[in-house]
């Protein structure tokens, strides 16, 4: 079965114009306590079966800050720090944490022993440590860094020279600065990398010179190519951070006017990963359409089908979907004579896995299987899970749209943010997997820099390989020729 032609070229949409525990359930562990009955708004937290489900913003902020006999659940720390940016920028949250700390410290100084005050301060440092490790990019903002310095300065005042609290603050600061420096260098490197060139194709003749290499001239082993695609996927996805994904919520929310300034900027990592999917789809289409002889085109299609199959076996669903999308583009899908020679049984299986019916039920079943394999894995090869990124983004977006941020009583619907946080944490777990395959720079360089045809050039190459068969195709071919002749 050959794929049906699609009108549009590949377009995935990014909807944004480790401290979380294994379950991410938000249950309060034994001994943690529920900080919900104190003064100053703490009573505005609502628990159901030991799980925090809603609360006022002020109460949620107070629940984040430790006390002498309380330290927040780590799942709560991650979830609140992640979701709070929908309502308040990180530097303002940090300022409020500093105020709450100061208020509690003043109460302790009135009667508590010095050791108690020091223990309380150490807990606050631990909270700041978890914050800076989970969301270091928050501190690229000068205001947030200034607030952090102000809080740590107050904390160190209660410790003796070379005390444990001061040492912990120094280690926290050093680790954060090193992390920010590394991220800055990585960003500068990415900005220097150019996206793949777009080969417009010569006038009326999109075929490349015979001497020009194609993908089979660089790599003829489907497994090896799938492994190199997995390398690229993991490298690109590793630059995505939890707060980047939270932009799907914070940027699309019309009710909360407040925005974090850092979130307003375009997120390079999300856009780059989105563009990679589209470029891979276009590269597949280019490699097929540029081939002159039908027998070689058939071989090229069967090769990419095998590559997509190997991606599926690895757990690299994003590359698999991009390859299938490339073969489903109209310039490729219309090549009926070529497809008639292709053994499509494997392709039919792949399309079954990516069948969009029932909200991609088959894909989600396969993803669940890969996730379970990853959780029980004994080797890094079995840990690889790379979901279809566009579908993941849509899942987060629709989860956001069908559940309100606020309940009728004005409370923040924290039950919603538990689920968003759980999904984002699971995604981040997948991004931390180290690629076990040997890197082949030659193959990767080809995948990232090989010229790809524009939509016009793809259609020209397609029509030259197999002429138009109906009135619509004939009109399109005529229009293309006229446009290119006028341009010449």
């Amino acid at each position: 079965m050959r794929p049906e032609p699609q009108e549009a070229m590949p377009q995935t949409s990014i909807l944004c114009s480790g401290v979380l525990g294994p379950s991410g359930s938000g249950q309060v562990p034994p001994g943690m306590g529920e900080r919900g009955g104190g003064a100053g708004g703490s009573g505005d937290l609502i628990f159901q079966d030991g799980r925090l489900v809603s609360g006022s913003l002020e109460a949620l902020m107070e629940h984040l800050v430790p006390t002498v006999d309380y330290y927040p659940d780590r799942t709560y720390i991650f979830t609140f720090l992640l979701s709070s940016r929908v309502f308040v920028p990180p530097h303002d949250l940090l300022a409020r944490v500093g105020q709450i700390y100061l208020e509690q410290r003043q109460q302790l100084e009135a009667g508590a022993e010095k050791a108690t005050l020091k223990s309380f301060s150490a807990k606050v440092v631990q909270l700041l440590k978890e914050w800076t490790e989970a969301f270091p990019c928050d501190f690229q903002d000068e205001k947030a860094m200034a607030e952090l310095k102000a809080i740590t300065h107050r904390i160190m005042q209660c410790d003796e020279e070379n005390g444990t609290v001061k040492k912990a603050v120094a280690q926290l600061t050093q680790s954060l600065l090193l992390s920010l420096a590394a991220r800055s260098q990585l960003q500068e490197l990415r900005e220097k990398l150019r996206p793949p060139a777009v080969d417009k194709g010569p006038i009326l003749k999109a075929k490349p010179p015979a001497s020009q290499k194609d993908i089979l001239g660089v790599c003829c082993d489907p497994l090896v190519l799938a492994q190199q695609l997995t390398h690229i996927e993991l490298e690109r996805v590793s630059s995505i951070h939890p707060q980047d994904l939270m932009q799907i919520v914070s940027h699309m929310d019309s009710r909360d006017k407040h925005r974090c300034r850092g979130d307003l900027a375009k997120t390079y990592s999300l856009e780059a990963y989105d563009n990679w999917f589209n470029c891979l789809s276009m590269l597949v289409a280019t490699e097929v359409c540029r081939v002159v002889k039908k027998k070689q085109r058939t071989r090229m299609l069967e090769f990419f089908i095998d590559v997509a199959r190997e991606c599926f076996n690895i757990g690299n669903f994003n590359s698999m979907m991009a390859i299938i999308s490339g073969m489903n583009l109209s310039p490729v899908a219309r090549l009926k004579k070529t497809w008639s020679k292709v053994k499509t049984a494997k392709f039919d299986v792949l399309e079954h896995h990516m069948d969009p019916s029932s909200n991609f039920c088959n894909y989600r079943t396969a993803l669940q299987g890969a996730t379970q394999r990853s959780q029980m894995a004994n080797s890094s090869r079995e840990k690889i899970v790379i979901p279809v990124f566009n579908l993941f983004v849509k899942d987060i977006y629709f989860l956001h749209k069908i559940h309100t941020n606020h309940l009728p009583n004005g409370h923040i619907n924290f039950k919603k943010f538990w689920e968003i946080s759980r999904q984002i944490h699971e995604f981040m777990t997948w991004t931390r997997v180290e690629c076990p395959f040997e890197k082949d720079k030659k193959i990767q360089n080809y995948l990232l820099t090989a010229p790809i045809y524009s939509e016009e050039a793809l259609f020209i190459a397609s029509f030259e390989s197999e002429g138009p068969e109906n009135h619509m195709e004939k009109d399109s071919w005529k229009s293309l020729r006229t446009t290119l002749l006028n341009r010449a």
Side-chain angles (χ1 to χ4, degrees):
M1 181 187 300
R2 69 172 183 80
E4 290 299 318
Q6 294 181 0
E7 293 300 321
M9 305 307 284
Q11 291 295 328
T12 60
S13 171
I14 291 298
L15 302 172
C16 51
S17 354
V19 296
L20 193 61
S23 66
S25 65
Q27 292 291 132
V28 179
M32 278 291 188
E34 293 183 9
R35 187 183 180 182
S42 295
D44 287 337
L45 295 178
I46 304 299
F47 291 83
Q48 290 179 358
D49 299 324
R51 182 180 182 181
L52 176 60
V53 294
S54 72
S56 66
L57 179 59
E58 177 62 25
L60 292 169
M61 287 192 288
E62 290 185 9
H63 195 59
L64 177 70
V65 184
T67 65
V68 173
D69 54 3
Y70 161 82
Y71 190 82
D73 178 10
R74 298 182 79 196
T75 60
Y76 177 75
I77 294 173
F78 179 87
T79 301
F80 182 68
L81 289 178
L82 179 64
S83 58
S84 63
R85 63 199 68 234
V86 175
F87 309 99
V88 59
H91 67 265
D92 281 351
L93 175 60
L94 202 54
R96 183 63 188 125
V97 168
Q99 291 172 357
I100 296 171
Y101 162 74
L102 194 57
E103 291 166 4
Q104 292 193 45
R105 173 180 158 179
Q106 289 171 347
Q107 293 176 1
L108 289 171
E109 286 176 337
E113 296 180 359
K114 190 173 183 180
T116 302
L117 178 60
K118 187 174 179 179
S119 174
F120 165 62
S121 298
K123 287 183 177 180
V124 177
V125 173
Q126 177 61 26
L127 172 67
L128 297 174
K129 179 175 181 289
E130 294 197 34
W131 189 339
T132 56
E133 288 177 348
F135 303 97
C137 293
D138 286 352
F139 301 90
Q140 289 176 325
D141 177 32
E142 292 180 2
K143 292 181 179 179
M145 186 61 86
E147 292 293 347
L148 178 64
K149 289 179 180 178
I151 295 175
T152 52
H153 177 72
R154 295 189 200 114
I155 291 173
M156 289 190 294
Q157 289 176 341
C158 72
D159 195 21
E160 65 271 10
E161 192 69 29
N162 296 321
T164 55
V165 172
K166 286 185 176 179
K167 288 180 180 178
V169 169
Q171 291 174 354
L172 177 157
T173 304
Q174 184 179 18
S175 297
L176 175 60
L177 293 175
L178 288 172
S179 177
L180 291 177
R183 290 170 192 274
S184 177
Q185 291 174 358
L186 188 60
Q187 183 67 21
E188 289 177 4
L189 179 62
R190 288 195 186 110
E191 288 174 355
K192 291 178 182 178
L193 296 176
R194 294 183 178 181
V198 177
D199 187 347
K200 297 293 184 182
I203 305 287
L204 297 179
K205 188 69 177 176
K207 303 297 186 185
S211 59
Q212 187 172 325
K213 282 186 178 181
D214 60 15
I215 187 66
L216 289 172
V218 178
C219 176
C220 59
D221 187 333
L223 175 58
V224 172
L225 190 64
Q227 291 174 346
Q228 296 311 307
L229 286 170
T230 303
H231 252 297
I232 295 171
E233 293 277 358
L234 288 173
E235 285 177 5
R236 301 227 167 183
V237 80
S238 67
S239 65
I240 296 175
H241 306 295
Q243 61 269 30
D244 299 333
L245 296 169
M246 203 62 191
Q247 290 188 65
I248 301 163
V249 173
S250 62
H251 278 257
M252 297 305 295
D253 185 20
S254 60
R255 184 173 175 183
D256 295 297
K257 297 178 181 179
H258 184 61
R259 294 290 181 275
C260 173
R261 288 294 174 190
D263 288 345
L264 282 172
K266 288 185 177 180
T267 304
Y268 177 88
S269 55
L270 291 181
E271 291 184 349
Y273 196 46
D274 185 38
N275 289 337
W276 155 246
F277 181 98
N278 293 327
C279 285
L280 179 55
S281 294
M282 293 292 282
L283 177 63
V284 170
T286 299
E287 292 291 329
V288 174
C289 289
R290 64 186 286 200
V291 179
V292 177
K293 295 182 179 180
K294 181 171 63 178
K295 186 176 181 179
Q296 292 174 336
R297 278 198 307 278
T298 301
R299 183 189 175 202
M300 186 68 74
L301 280 170
E302 291 180 338
F303 173 72
F304 277 118
I305 291 170
D306 287 338
V307 173
R309 185 185 177 197
E310 294 295 350
C311 285
F312 177 84
N313 293 335
I314 289 171
N316 180 0
F317 299 106
N318 202 56
S319 287
M320 172 190 169
M321 179 66 99
I323 292 169
I324 293 174
S325 297
M327 289 189 287
N328 277 330
L329 293 176
S330 294
V332 180
R334 64 166 299 277
L335 298 171
K336 295 179 181 179
K337 294 177 183 178
T338 304
W339 279 101
S340 68
K341 301 296 182 181
V342 174
K343 298 174 183 177
T344 57
K346 295 177 186 176
F347 187 74
D348 293 342
V349 172
L350 294 174
E351 288 218 304
H352 173 74
H353 286 308
M354 292 301 170
D355 183 356
S357 61
S358 301
N359 193 22
F360 288 89
C361 177
N362 296 338
Y363 158 70
R364 295 182 190 283
T365 300
L367 179 63
Q368 185 179 15
T371 301
Q372 292 173 349
R373 180 186 69 181
S374 177
Q375 292 169 348
M376 298 183 292
N378 295 318
S379 68
S380 54
R381 291 190 176 214
E382 296 174 327
K383 290 181 180 180
I384 297 172
V385 182
I386 306 172
V388 178
F389 187 61
N390 182 239
L391 293 181
F392 173 78
V393 167
K394 287 179 179 178
D395 285 347
I396 296 295
Y397 172 68
F398 285 114
L399 181 61
H400 165 58
K401 294 304 289 184
I402 64 177
H403 298 288
T404 60
N405 284 351
H406 292 91
L407 300 177
N409 64 357
H411 277 195
I412 290 173
N413 181 9
F414 209 68
K415 191 174 182 180
K416 162 185 173 175
F417 290 104
W418 279 127
E419 179 58 24
I420 290 176
S421 172
R422 183 193 67 77
Q423 293 194 25
I424 289 178
H425 173 261
E426 185 174 49
F427 180 85
M428 298 311 299
T429 300
W430 296 331
T431 69
R432 297 190 191 104
V433 174
E434 185 176 348
C435 190
F437 309 121
E438 185 177 350
K439 189 172 183 177
D440 189 312
K441 292 183 178 179
K442 182 180 178 182
I443 297 174
Q444 288 198 25
N445 183 63
Y446 185 89
L447 290 169
L448 293 170
T449 63
I452 54 178
Y453 285 150
S454 65
E455 185 174 1
E456 278 184 356
L458 281 175
F459 271 109
I460 292 170
S462 178
F463 284 133
E464 289 184 338
S465 296
E466 296 185 21
E469 293 191 350
N470 53 52
H471 289 299
M472 186 177 294
E473 287 191 346
K474 288 177 181 177
D475 289 342
S476 296
W477 181 220
K478 183 178 179 181
S479 176
L480 271 174
R481 290 173 63 92
T482 302
T483 299
L484 293 175
L485 283 172
N486 291 336
R487 194 178 296 167

